[in-house]
Amino acid sequence: MKIFTGEQIYQADKFTIEKQQITSDELMERVAVQIFNWLHLRLQGAQPKIHLFCGIGNNGGDGLAVARHLKEHGYNIEVYIVNYNEKRTEEFLINLKRLKDRNVWPNFLSTETELPAIGREDIIVDAIFGIGLNRTPDNWVASLMTHINNSEAFILAVDVPSGLFLDKIVENPKAIIHANHVLTFQSPKLAFFLPQTGIYCNQWEIIDIGIDPEYLTVTETIYTLISKNEVLQSYIPREKFAHKGTYGHSLIIGGSYGKVGAAILAAKGALNSGSGLVSALLPKCGYVPMQSSMPEIMVQTGANDDLLANFDFDLEPTVIGVGPGLGKAPQTVEAFGKFLRQNKIPLVIDADALNIISENRDLLKLIPEDSVLTPHPKELERLIGKWENDFDKLEKAKLFSIELKCILVIKGAHTIVLYQGKGFINTSGNPGMATAGSGDVLTGVITGLIAQGYPKVVAAIFGVYLHGSAGDLAVEGLGYQSLTASSIVNTIGGAFIELFKRPEAPQQQEQQKA
């Protein structure tokens, strides 16, 4: 699913209005009907007090139109106009008149107005500001927002929480609505997926407002949201007469004294994601743990007991995953540099391999084109430098990926894969995956997918989704606190199966309950 910028959203509205020969007011009415239907379906005539806070632009016009539909269906509403300046859009004025024609007289709020009483059992519809907001709201509006947030009422935001910018962080944390649920138009916004801005959108849902399909299809976007539908198209089925050699040979290089488990998790990730063969190059101390825990893995060791002092191996892998548990001993750093100067095999680079590179910048130019780098936030900072905010981080990371000609996996609550100036935002995963070893599993999964013949960027996108989906399945029986990397890697198979499950029809679900 494409993620459009603010300017593209405005152009989408304009294109739809012109092509479908409708007015802007008619498009607004589509929005209002969808939001009303969402509320009506859940309330079914129940009578909580519904407070609608409307701005004086088109977002406010949406709110006024919703208020009209609620009134016509007998709901208990109170409408407030947040009068933050003297400008009014035409659509706002049209819907204000329609509301007054039905004897609904809004309360106009300004700097002198007393804050309205809101009960914790009430419902709030937030339609103060939309995507066009480009400056921090005035202090009195921020006070109103704080009052709304402190009410403990359920807050439904129209398109975006008021106060949220699409392309920068919130400057005043008190000047933004903390929405319980967001009904966003046609496609989600990038700000929903970044830590500094996503915290204001507890849950979001897309409503289809009939934007013309031609515009949605032909318009290129920088960011794409990756869900089950997108990754399923990339799946490569197994062939009946295939053999283990058909699905490639993964080599995991890593491990050091006390950190062999990281290499074991990566190797298991490669195996469970479908690599035909998996080998591991470890220091001698890793031989028994790897062979004992995973008899399927072929093991080669270096001459040193506690660390890898050379990267020599007598096999021909399809792809190499390097870094989990590797350590940064001087001998290892030297050996890794020598390896990069000689290596021509595709790489998935993680953990200490990334740290070695960040401390020895001359190694960057030795990384093969289209290698996959999988840094966690601190490792990313060491690679690209400090950033001012999440938007700045994305721009710096994107530039780094372009200059290095690599695939950069930015791990987080919504892991983002960057490649050739494009970003792919993952939707699977949960907070329980913030646990030791989870990243090592991801390294193995991506390595295993590349071994099977998936294009490298597809392997990164698919691997991130599969890894998150495994975490989602595993957490159901364990909870966030008890989810471990071993649980995740052991559920990779279930994540593959989940790709092909179809949602049960409501009738079937009711029959099963009976």
Side-chain angles (χ1 to χ4, degrees), residues 9-24:
I9 293 168
Y10 284 123
Q11 291 302 320
D13 289 352
K14 182 179 178 182
F15 184 93
T16 300
I17 289 167
E18 292 177 356
K19 185 175 180 185
Q20 298 181 6
Q21 297 185 336
I22 61 173
T23 64
S24 177

PDB file of all heavy atoms in Angstrom, residues 9-24:
ATOM      1  N   ILE A   9      -1.657  14.003  -1.478  1.00  0.00           N
ATOM      2  CA  ILE A   9      -3.043  13.859  -1.036  1.00  0.00           C
ATOM      3  C   ILE A   9      -3.904  14.985  -1.590  1.00  0.00           C
ATOM      4  O   ILE A   9      -5.024  14.758  -2.065  1.00  0.00           O
ATOM      5  CB  ILE A   9      -3.105  13.810   0.506  1.00  0.00           C
ATOM      6  CG1 ILE A   9      -2.444  12.527   1.021  1.00  0.00           C
ATOM      7  CG2 ILE A   9      -4.555  13.882   0.993  1.00  0.00           C
ATOM      8  CD1 ILE A   9      -2.192  12.516   2.507  1.00  0.00           C
ATOM      9  N   TYR A  10      -3.377  16.214  -1.559  1.00  0.00           N
ATOM     10  CA  TYR A  10      -4.117  17.334  -2.138  1.00  0.00           C
ATOM     11  C   TYR A  10      -4.333  17.121  -3.647  1.00  0.00           C
ATOM     12  O   TYR A  10      -5.415  17.395  -4.175  1.00  0.00           O
ATOM     13  CB  TYR A  10      -3.366  18.646  -1.900  1.00  0.00           C
ATOM     14  CG  TYR A  10      -3.479  19.170  -0.492  1.00  0.00           C
ATOM     15  CD1 TYR A  10      -2.354  19.422   0.274  1.00  0.00           C
ATOM     16  CD2 TYR A  10      -4.726  19.420   0.080  1.00  0.00           C
ATOM     17  CE1 TYR A  10      -2.453  19.896   1.576  1.00  0.00           C
ATOM     18  CE2 TYR A  10      -4.841  19.903   1.371  1.00  0.00           C
ATOM     19  CZ  TYR A  10      -3.699  20.135   2.124  1.00  0.00           C
ATOM     20  OH  TYR A  10      -3.813  20.607   3.406  1.00  0.00           O
ATOM     21  N   GLN A  11      -3.306  16.642  -4.317  1.00  0.00           N
ATOM     22  CA  GLN A  11      -3.426  16.398  -5.750  1.00  0.00           C
ATOM     23  C   GLN A  11      -4.416  15.274  -6.037  1.00  0.00           C
ATOM     24  O   GLN A  11      -5.132  15.295  -7.046  1.00  0.00           O
ATOM     25  CB  GLN A  11      -2.050  16.055  -6.341  1.00  0.00           C
ATOM     26  CG  GLN A  11      -1.076  17.219  -6.372  1.00  0.00           C
ATOM     27  CD  GLN A  11      -1.595  18.409  -7.159  1.00  0.00           C
ATOM     28  OE1 GLN A  11      -2.211  18.258  -8.219  1.00  0.00           O
ATOM     29  NE2 GLN A  11      -1.342  19.610  -6.646  1.00  0.00           N
ATOM     30  N   ALA A  12      -4.460  14.280  -5.148  1.00  0.00           N
ATOM     31  CA  ALA A  12      -5.410  13.169  -5.310  1.00  0.00           C
ATOM     32  C   ALA A  12      -6.846  13.682  -5.227  1.00  0.00           C
ATOM     33  O   ALA A  12      -7.717  13.285  -6.021  1.00  0.00           O
ATOM     34  CB  ALA A  12      -5.158  12.105  -4.251  1.00  0.00           C
ATOM     35  N   ASP A  13      -7.103  14.568  -4.265  1.00  0.00           N
ATOM     36  CA  ASP A  13      -8.435  15.162  -4.143  1.00  0.00           C
ATOM     37  C   ASP A  13      -8.798  15.934  -5.402  1.00  0.00           C
ATOM     38  O   ASP A  13      -9.905  15.804  -5.950  1.00  0.00           O
ATOM     39  CB  ASP A  13      -8.494  16.096  -2.932  1.00  0.00           C
ATOM     40  CG  ASP A  13      -8.471  15.349  -1.606  1.00  0.00           C
ATOM     41  OD1 ASP A  13      -8.560  14.106  -1.617  1.00  0.00           O
ATOM     42  OD2 ASP A  13      -8.347  16.018  -0.558  1.00  0.00           O
ATOM     43  N   LYS A  14      -7.848  16.751  -5.855  1.00  0.00           N
ATOM     44  CA  LYS A  14      -8.091  17.584  -7.043  1.00  0.00           C
ATOM     45  C   LYS A  14      -8.342  16.716  -8.274  1.00  0.00           C
ATOM     46  O   LYS A  14      -9.275  16.972  -9.055  1.00  0.00           O
ATOM     47  CB  LYS A  14      -6.871  18.489  -7.277  1.00  0.00           C
ATOM     48  CG  LYS A  14      -7.020  19.442  -8.448  1.00  0.00           C
ATOM     49  CD  LYS A  14      -5.767  20.315  -8.586  1.00  0.00           C
ATOM     50  CE  LYS A  14      -5.881  21.239  -9.792  1.00  0.00           C
ATOM     51  NZ  LYS A  14      -4.652  22.060  -9.961  1.00  0.00           N
ATOM     52  N   PHE A  15      -7.531  15.674  -8.455  1.00  0.00           N
ATOM     53  CA  PHE A  15      -7.669  14.765  -9.600  1.00  0.00           C
ATOM     54  C   PHE A  15      -9.041  14.096  -9.568  1.00  0.00           C
ATOM     55  O   PHE A  15      -9.726  13.977 -10.590  1.00  0.00           O
ATOM     56  CB  PHE A  15      -6.561  13.718  -9.544  1.00  0.00           C
ATOM     57  CG  PHE A  15      -6.528  12.772 -10.712  1.00  0.00           C
ATOM     58  CD1 PHE A  15      -5.742  13.043 -11.816  1.00  0.00           C
ATOM     59  CD2 PHE A  15      -7.289  11.608 -10.713  1.00  0.00           C
ATOM     60  CE1 PHE A  15      -5.715  12.167 -12.901  1.00  0.00           C
ATOM     61  CE2 PHE A  15      -7.261  10.726 -11.779  1.00  0.00           C
ATOM     62  CZ  PHE A  15      -6.469  11.010 -12.877  1.00  0.00           C
ATOM     63  N   THR A  16      -9.445  13.632  -8.376  1.00  0.00           N
ATOM     64  CA  THR A  16     -10.722  12.936  -8.231  1.00  0.00           C
ATOM     65  C   THR A  16     -11.891  13.859  -8.545  1.00  0.00           C
ATOM     66  O   THR A  16     -12.845  13.477  -9.248  1.00  0.00           O
ATOM     67  CB  THR A  16     -10.856  12.387  -6.796  1.00  0.00           C
ATOM     68  OG1 THR A  16      -9.781  11.479  -6.553  1.00  0.00           O
ATOM     69  CG2 THR A  16     -12.181  11.664  -6.596  1.00  0.00           C
ATOM     70  N   ILE A  17     -11.825  15.077  -8.035  1.00  0.00           N
ATOM     71  CA  ILE A  17     -12.901  16.048  -8.270  1.00  0.00           C
ATOM     72  C   ILE A  17     -13.056  16.333  -9.758  1.00  0.00           C
ATOM     73  O   ILE A  17     -14.172  16.366 -10.296  1.00  0.00           O
ATOM     74  CB  ILE A  17     -12.623  17.341  -7.479  1.00  0.00           C
ATOM     75  CG1 ILE A  17     -12.820  17.080  -5.974  1.00  0.00           C
ATOM     76  CG2 ILE A  17     -13.516  18.486  -7.945  1.00  0.00           C
ATOM     77  CD1 ILE A  17     -12.270  18.176  -5.086  1.00  0.00           C
ATOM     78  N   GLU A  18     -11.919  16.505 -10.444  1.00  0.00           N
ATOM     79  CA  GLU A  18     -11.969  16.830 -11.877  1.00  0.00           C
ATOM     80  C   GLU A  18     -12.412  15.633 -12.709  1.00  0.00           C
ATOM     81  O   GLU A  18     -13.263  15.752 -13.588  1.00  0.00           O
ATOM     82  CB  GLU A  18     -10.593  17.317 -12.337  1.00  0.00           C
ATOM     83  CG  GLU A  18     -10.211  18.676 -11.749  1.00  0.00           C
ATOM     84  CD  GLU A  18      -8.816  19.111 -12.155  1.00  0.00           C
ATOM     85  OE1 GLU A  18      -8.113  18.314 -12.825  1.00  0.00           O
ATOM     86  OE2 GLU A  18      -8.415  20.238 -11.797  1.00  0.00           O
ATOM     87  N   LYS A  19     -11.848  14.468 -12.417  1.00  0.00           N
ATOM     88  CA  LYS A  19     -12.157  13.299 -13.254  1.00  0.00           C
ATOM     89  C   LYS A  19     -13.567  12.784 -13.025  1.00  0.00           C
ATOM     90  O   LYS A  19     -14.264  12.387 -13.968  1.00  0.00           O
ATOM     91  CB  LYS A  19     -11.146  12.177 -13.003  1.00  0.00           C
ATOM     92  CG  LYS A  19     -11.363  10.996 -13.943  1.00  0.00           C
ATOM     93  CD  LYS A  19     -10.304   9.937 -13.805  1.00  0.00           C
ATOM     94  CE  LYS A  19     -10.600   8.792 -14.773  1.00  0.00           C
ATOM     95  NZ  LYS A  19      -9.663   7.669 -14.605  1.00  0.00           N
ATOM     96  N   GLN A  20     -13.987  12.767 -11.759  1.00  0.00           N
ATOM     97  CA  GLN A  20     -15.318  12.236 -11.445  1.00  0.00           C
ATOM     98  C   GLN A  20     -16.405  13.304 -11.529  1.00  0.00           C
ATOM     99  O   GLN A  20     -17.574  13.013 -11.303  1.00  0.00           O
ATOM    100  CB  GLN A  20     -15.298  11.602 -10.056  1.00  0.00           C
ATOM    101  CG  GLN A  20     -14.338  10.418  -9.954  1.00  0.00           C
ATOM    102  CD  GLN A  20     -14.329   9.771  -8.578  1.00  0.00           C
ATOM    103  OE1 GLN A  20     -15.119  10.117  -7.703  1.00  0.00           O
ATOM    104  NE2 GLN A  20     -13.444   8.809  -8.370  1.00  0.00           N
ATOM    105  N   GLN A  21     -15.988  14.535 -11.853  1.00  0.00           N
ATOM    106  CA  GLN A  21     -16.922  15.656 -12.035  1.00  0.00           C
ATOM    107  C   GLN A  21     -17.836  15.823 -10.816  1.00  0.00           C
ATOM    108  O   GLN A  21     -19.063  15.852 -10.921  1.00  0.00           O
ATOM    109  CB  GLN A  21     -17.739  15.471 -13.317  1.00  0.00           C
ATOM    110  CG  GLN A  21     -16.871  15.485 -14.576  1.00  0.00           C
ATOM    111  CD  GLN A  21     -17.701  15.420 -15.847  1.00  0.00           C
ATOM    112  OE1 GLN A  21     -18.818  14.946 -15.863  1.00  0.00           O
ATOM    113  NE2 GLN A  21     -17.136  15.902 -16.939  1.00  0.00           N
ATOM    114  N   ILE A  22     -17.177  15.911  -9.666  1.00  0.00           N
ATOM    115  CA  ILE A  22     -17.892  16.168  -8.424  1.00  0.00           C
ATOM    116  C   ILE A  22     -17.338  17.456  -7.819  1.00  0.00           C
ATOM    117  O   ILE A  22     -16.328  17.994  -8.280  1.00  0.00           O
ATOM    118  CB  ILE A  22     -17.740  15.003  -7.420  1.00  0.00           C
ATOM    119  CG1 ILE A  22     -16.254  14.804  -7.058  1.00  0.00           C
ATOM    120  CG2 ILE A  22     -18.343  13.725  -7.968  1.00  0.00           C
ATOM    121  CD1 ILE A  22     -16.022  13.786  -5.959  1.00  0.00           C
ATOM    122  N   THR A  23     -17.988  17.951  -6.784  1.00  0.00           N
ATOM    123  CA  THR A  23     -17.490  19.132  -6.098  1.00  0.00           C
ATOM    124  C   THR A  23     -16.665  18.711  -4.879  1.00  0.00           C
ATOM    125  O   THR A  23     -16.754  17.572  -4.415  1.00  0.00           O
ATOM    126  CB  THR A  23     -18.652  20.019  -5.623  1.00  0.00           C
ATOM    127  OG1 THR A  23     -19.411  19.295  -4.646  1.00  0.00           O
ATOM    128  CG2 THR A  23     -19.550  20.407  -6.796  1.00  0.00           C
ATOM    129  N   SER A  24     -15.903  19.652  -4.362  1.00  0.00           N
ATOM    130  CA  SER A  24     -15.143  19.391  -3.139  1.00  0.00           C
ATOM    131  C   SER A  24     -16.091  19.070  -1.986  1.00  0.00           C
ATOM    132  O   SER A  24     -15.795  18.232  -1.131  1.00  0.00           O
ATOM    133  CB  SER A  24     -14.285  20.620  -2.793  1.00  0.00           C
ATOM    134  OG  SER A  24     -13.590  20.425  -1.587  1.00  0.00           O
TER     135      SER A  24
END
